Amino acid sequence: MALAALPMLAAPGFGRAQGAKLAVTDKEVVVGQLHSATGTMAISETGSIQAERLAIDQINAAGGILGRQIRVIQEDGASDWPTFAEKARKLLVSDRVATVFGCWTSASRKAVLPIFEKENGLLYYPTFYEGLEQSKNVFYTGQEATQQILSGLDWVNREKKAKTFYLIGSDYIWPRTSNKIARKHIENVLKGQVVGEEYYPLGHTQFGSLLNKIKLRKPDVIYAIVVGGSNVSFYKQLKAAGFSSANTTLLTISVTEDELLGIGGENVEGYYSCMKYFQSLDNPNNKAFVDAFKAKYGPNSVIGDVTQAAYLGPWLWKMAVEKAGSFEVNDVVAASPNLEFDKAPEGYVKIHPNHHLWSRTRVGRMRGDGQFDVVWETPDLIEPNPFPEGYQ
């Protein structure tokens, strides 16, 4: 039976509906990849590019989607938010891709969101983020704030008896909003105190003044949301200033195995990250994923939380397309709620009607070899709640 009769027009009333078909033929379907392959965010986003390509290669090797092979058009957001917007418009309007896997920072996601909504495009976004967003046109395969920030703060308060916190972040929407949520939780729920809060531009490399302030205020916890290449300078300077896990409790929600590759595990050994995934997870799904990733990208490659979440995107899209029997965005969106993926490397995920994923939260202790020992995880999946009462 010919498959060309499947509906391929974009949704009525949107930019791509004016006679433009999605880039789907009898033999292939075209998708977009939109990440920073260059610039300060490349240290974090390269893993996402690799994981999405691995998933797509595996899907193609198994026969593709609805009889089509997936062809990828990759664009470089170059760690620049206007460039992300420009490339998103190209992928949706000129290339007519069926979906896009992309972005990392919330700034890049916010830059492209109006375009995806106007053109009725579909974005699978892999990064843990601040929440406070829900769009028909986006599926969020990372965690939102209640699944990561609140759980991590509760853990460090309970296990380390932490009451005073110094909040540090890169200067854009995700760290600022995340720290706003963290501050409310520290002050209102944990009855603790924020003794300092600082932000630095992306790519910043000089943290001496900050470290002097931390020494003076002696917080129970350094709560760090520094992203991209700045992590390398921050953690190396932290060690050079005499900080270590022997005298400091540091909890971060922005350092994964990908960042540790650049930082060096010897500079951060004993500090903690709160994520939903670590490469060291011991389950059959993850073993197969790690083996396949290293076979494709080399034995020294590493896999972080966002890398794993990026790997989920093509698989969840495939499941929704096949359930819908269509590549059309409205059909894929309608087919997605409550889809379950029991082959996820993190163990198991389920798509919530709010387009986020049910998932567990874990705390990992950094090792000198650049991996993590998982020291705690939630007993159950946490329901995503991107608009938590009292934190907006």
Side-chain angles (χ1 to χ4, degrees), residues 40 60 130 145 191 214 216 231 238 242 246 303 357 376:
T40 189
N60 280 341
E130 68 279 0
K191 306 303 179 185
I214 295 173
L216 285 172
N231 275 304
L238 193 70
I303 304 163
L357 302 184
W376 175 80

Side-chain angles (χ1 to χ4, degrees), residues 37 120 188 366:
N120 200 35
N188 299 339
M366 301 179 196

Side-chain angles (χ1 to χ4, degrees), residues 125-131 140-149 151 174 253 274-277 305-306 309 346 356-362 378 381-382 384-385:
Y125 174 69
T127 314
F128 40 75
Y129 86 115
E130 68 279 0
Y140 308 80
T141 64
Q143 292 184 302
E144 47 76 28
T146 67
Q147 296 172 304
Q148 185 185 34
I149 296 171
S151 294
W174 175 60
I253 58 171
C274 184
M275 304 283 166
K276 69 172 179 170
Y277 171 86
D305 180 279
V306 184
E346 66 186 80
H356 296 71
L357 302 184
W358 293 75
S359 62
R360 295 181 189 273
T361 299
R362 299 173 168 98
T378 54
L381 298 174
I382 300 177
N385 179 15

Side-chain angles (χ1 to χ4, degrees), residues 164-168 179 183 193-198 210 213-214 217 219 221 223:
T164 59
F165 296 76
Y166 204 116
L167 311 183
I168 306 161
N179 276 339
R183 177 185 279 272
Q193 181 184 6
V194 175
V195 297
E197 186 171 353
E198 306 273 347
L210 166 66
K213 292 178 185 177
I214 295 173
R217 297 180 190 177
V221 177
Y223 190 70

Side-chain angles (χ1 to χ4, degrees), residues 185-364:
H185 195 67
I186 290 164
E187 294 175 346
N188 299 339
V189 177
L190 304 181
K191 306 303 179 185
Q193 181 184 6
V194 175
V195 297
E197 186 171 353
E198 306 273 347
Y199 297 93
Y200 297 90
L202 286 169
H204 189 75
T205 59
Q206 300 301 319
F207 293 97
S209 175
L210 166 66
L211 300 178
N212 288 333
K213 292 178 185 177
I214 295 173
K215 285 182 177 179
L216 285 172
R217 297 180 190 177
K218 298 181 172 62
D220 295 334
V221 177
I222 298 173
Y223 190 70
I225 317 181
V226 178
V227 307
S230 295
N231 275 304
V232 178
S233 298
F234 173 68
Y235 286 100
K236 287 185 175 179
Q237 289 169 31
L238 193 70
K239 181 180 181 181
F243 291 90
S244 74
S245 59
N247 57 36
T248 303
T249 298
L250 183 145
L251 178 64
T252 176
I253 58 171
S254 61
V255 173
T256 75
E257 292 86 342
D258 292 295
E259 286 76 27
L260 283 188
L261 198 60
I263 296 167
E266 70 278 2
N267 295 306
V268 292
E269 189 170 3
Y271 294 147
Y272 298 95
S273 280
C274 184
M275 304 283 166
K276 69 172 179 170
Y277 171 86
F278 295 100
Q279 183 180 313
S280 58
L281 286 182
D282 185 13
N283 68 63
N285 292 351
N286 191 46
K287 184 180 186 306
F289 171 54
V290 172
D291 287 349
F293 194 93
K294 287 181 174 292
K296 186 173 178 64
Y297 298 112
N300 295 324
S301 58
V302 299
I303 304 163
D305 180 279
V306 184
T307 300
Q308 189 264 170
Y311 179 75
L312 302 179
W315 288 105
L316 294 174
W317 177 64
K318 174 183 186 292
M319 292 173 68
V321 167
E322 291 179 342
K323 180 181 176 182
S326 166
F327 291 101
E328 199 276 312
V329 169
N330 289 351
D331 295 338
V332 174
V333 169
S336 292
N338 299 314
L339 281 177
E340 301 173 271
F341 185 40
D342 60 7
K343 300 298 184 186
E346 66 186 80
Y348 166 89
V349 295
K350 180 179 179 180
I351 301 179
H352 195 282
N354 64 26
H355 286 203
H356 296 71
L357 302 184
W358 293 75
S359 62
R360 295 181 189 273
T361 299
R362 299 173 168 98
V363 173

Side-chain angles (χ1 to χ4, degrees), residues 152-183:
L153 290 171
D154 287 346
W155 174 84
V156 79
N157 170 254
R158 181 176 64 250
E159 297 297 322
K160 304 295 183 180
K161 312 303 179 189
K163 285 296 183 182
T164 59
F165 296 76
Y166 204 116
L167 311 183
I168 306 161
S170 296
D171 194 6
Y172 71 99
I173 183 172
W174 175 60
R176 283 190 174 272
T177 307
S178 295
N179 276 339
K180 181 180 178 182
I181 292 168
R183 177 185 279 272

